[in-house]
Amino acid sequence: DIYVRAEYCKKDAPLVGAVGYWSGDFGPNDLDRERVTAWVEYRTKPWRAMFEWFDATSETAPGVDLDQDAFFFQIIHREEGSRLEYLARYDHYDPNSDNDNDEEKWLTLGFNWYLEGNDCFVGINYIDKENEGAAPGAQDDKEIVAQITFIY
């Protein structure tokens, strides 16, 4: 297996990074896997914006590949000294790039309330999901999700 990660950041400039992962071809029964991710993150108080792209190819049987791709864009706003952070995010996932009408698209709107410093927060998100590959009547879903996060 080969794993490569690189990040670059200069003061007052976007963080840019990439990851590559390759495995397989080590024996007659090994299946190949490739993963490539790239991202950019920009922070200027009180805003933070992130974009990430992902591409994967998995050999599901000798000579048979499954191609997947995804991306997301997220923007976050938190005023200096505030415990409240607002966020909006758009996710796009295609579980099989070779097939049409199987994409998933999510729009998330929410907030995080920091309880103590930056080590613990409660998040509430509204997620509007569109799943083209789901059965008729189950293609659109709306959720409200709550979570508590502890960082140690």
Side-chain angles (χ1 to χ4, degrees), residues 125-136:
N125 293 314
Y126 167 78
I127 306 170
D128 185 357
K129 299 179 180 182
E130 180 185 324
N131 183 353
E132 294 177 354

Side-chain angles (χ1 to χ4, degrees), residues 13-71:
L15 167 70
V16 178
V19 169
Y21 171 78
W22 299 266
S23 71
D25 288 333
F26 298 110
N29 297 320
D30 286 347
L31 300 177
D32 295 340
R33 288 178 298 191
E34 299 171 6
R35 308 284 186 267
V36 177
T37 300
W39 64 89
V40 61
E41 179 178 347
Y42 186 74
R43 297 177 183 209
T44 178
K45 293 184 179 180
W47 296 96
R48 190 170 71 210
M50 292 172 273
F51 175 81
E52 183 170 328
W53 166 81
F54 171 82
D55 185 69
T57 300
S58 300
E59 192 175 29
T60 57
V64 179
D65 289 340
L66 173 64
D67 295 320
Q68 302 169 301
D69 61 64
F71 70 86

Side-chain angles (χ1 to χ4, degrees), residues 83-97:
R83 290 183 166 199
L84 191 59
E85 175 178 78
Y86 302 96
L87 62 99
R89 177 177 171 124
Y90 178 79
D91 292 91
H92 180 273
Y93 170 60
D94 189 346
N96 187 342
S97 304

